[in-house]
Amino acid sequence: MPYTRASEMTESIPVMCPYCGEMADLTVEDEGWSRQSYVQDCPVCCQPWQVELIRDAEGDWNATLKTGDE
């Protein structure tokens, strides 16, 4: 399998849905930004998450999930 830059630019973070409490993996695409915000649906209950990703000084991503009414 050929080496591609995209393969090292994606990682997963385990998160808990703020609606149903189920665990899911949040896929992070590293596009060079240290802070990202977007909306993504829960893969279990389909409710929309407000996702905020912040990269710390070591390069690790931290995710905060909120409900639409927070």
Side-chain angles (χ1 to χ4, degrees):
M1 185 164 160
Y3 173 80
T4 62
R5 184 172 179 226
S7 65
E8 72 176 2
M9 304 302 274
T10 303
E11 58 185 282
S12 292
I13 300 172
V15 295
M16 185 185 331
C17 176
Y19 291 97
C20 68
E22 291 293 322
M23 295 300 293
D25 286 327
L26 184 65
T27 302
V28 178
E29 300 274 337
D30 187 353
E31 298 176 357
W33 300 97
S34 60
R35 185 177 191 132
Q36 301 177 25
S37 296
Y38 57 91
V39 175
Q40 178 175 325
D41 291 341
C42 174
V44 178
C45 70
C46 300
Q47 293 293 320
W49 298 335
Q50 301 289 328
V51 180
E52 184 170 328
L53 292 170
I54 299 174
R55 186 177 10 221
D56 63 21
E58 288 80 37
D60 296 323
W61 288 101
N62 296 299
T64 302
L65 304 182
K66 296 181 182 177
T67 61
D69 57 359
E70 286 186 65

